[in-house]
Amino acid sequence: SPLSAATLSLTFSESMSLSCDLNGDGECTVMDLDQLIISSDAADIAGWLTQASAADSLGREFRTGDVDLNGMVNFADFLVLSTNFGAQNAVWSVGDFDGSRDVAFADFLQLSGNFGFDSTTATTSVPEPNAGTLIGLLLGCCLFWRAKR
């Protein structure tokens, strides 16, 4: 199901200049990140994530692979990527984390590098599956995707 803009909206301080707000709605959201990728300015993805993290009043940090910008890179993010694996003309919200406009193995590698990251809690969390498990899941999804063709 598509994610709503309200779910993805970040809360910011009134006094902060939002250089990460590319569509002028006063918030730095996934829609802004999608617009950045569409504009082919992929080199600024890391900068955008840094700016949005600094502006987030909840103190969350956003990393590559965090599809929904909730401050966590987890299985929900992996499901979005795996569902859209192989997509062309893609954007952040469907798993294009490197700005290449497709959802490919390079995007999976970026997600797996941050998998298990959680900036929403100060306590130690239960470890998520390791990269080997994720690779196995990705390969299974690729085989399923090819079988559907």
Side-chain angles (χ1 to χ4, degrees):
S1 69
L3 300 170
S4 72
T7 303
L8 303 173
S9 177
L10 309 177
T11 308
F12 299 95
S13 162
E14 291 285 326
S15 64
M16 178 140 322
S17 171
L18 300 176
S19 58
C20 50
D21 177 21
L22 302 178
N23 63 7
D25 66 357
E27 300 175 318
C28 296
T29 65
V30 170
M31 290 184 296
D32 297 301
L33 200 44
D34 285 349
Q35 184 174 333
L36 178 67
I37 290 172
I38 290 169
S39 73
S40 299
D41 201 0
D44 287 343
I45 291 173
W48 190 97
L49 292 170
T50 300
Q51 292 167 2
S53 295
D56 184 45
S57 66
L58 298 177
R60 296 173 294 188
E61 180 182 344
F62 307 114
R63 291 194 179 175
T64 305
D66 186 3
V67 173
D68 51 8
L69 296 180
N70 64 356
M72 299 180 286
V73 181
N74 56 22
F75 194 67
D77 301 306
F78 172 75
L79 287 177
V80 171
L81 182 141
S82 65
T83 300
N84 296 294
F85 194 80
Q88 299 294 312
N89 297 314
V91 291
W92 182 274
S93 59
V94 297
D96 177 21
F97 304 127
D98 61 4
S100 63
R101 301 299 313 275
D102 62 0
V103 181
F105 191 65
D107 301 300
F108 169 74
L109 291 175
Q110 290 197 20
L111 182 143
S112 67
N114 289 315
F115 196 81
F117 173 77
D118 185 349
S119 69
T120 64
T121 178
T123 61
T124 305
S125 62
V126 175
E128 301 242 15
N130 63 26
T133 303
L134 286 176
I135 289 172
L137 285 170
L138 179 63
L139 291 175
C141 290
C142 290
L143 291 174
F144 177 75
W145 178 67
R146 287 187 185 251
K148 287 184 358 181
R149 293 179 119 202

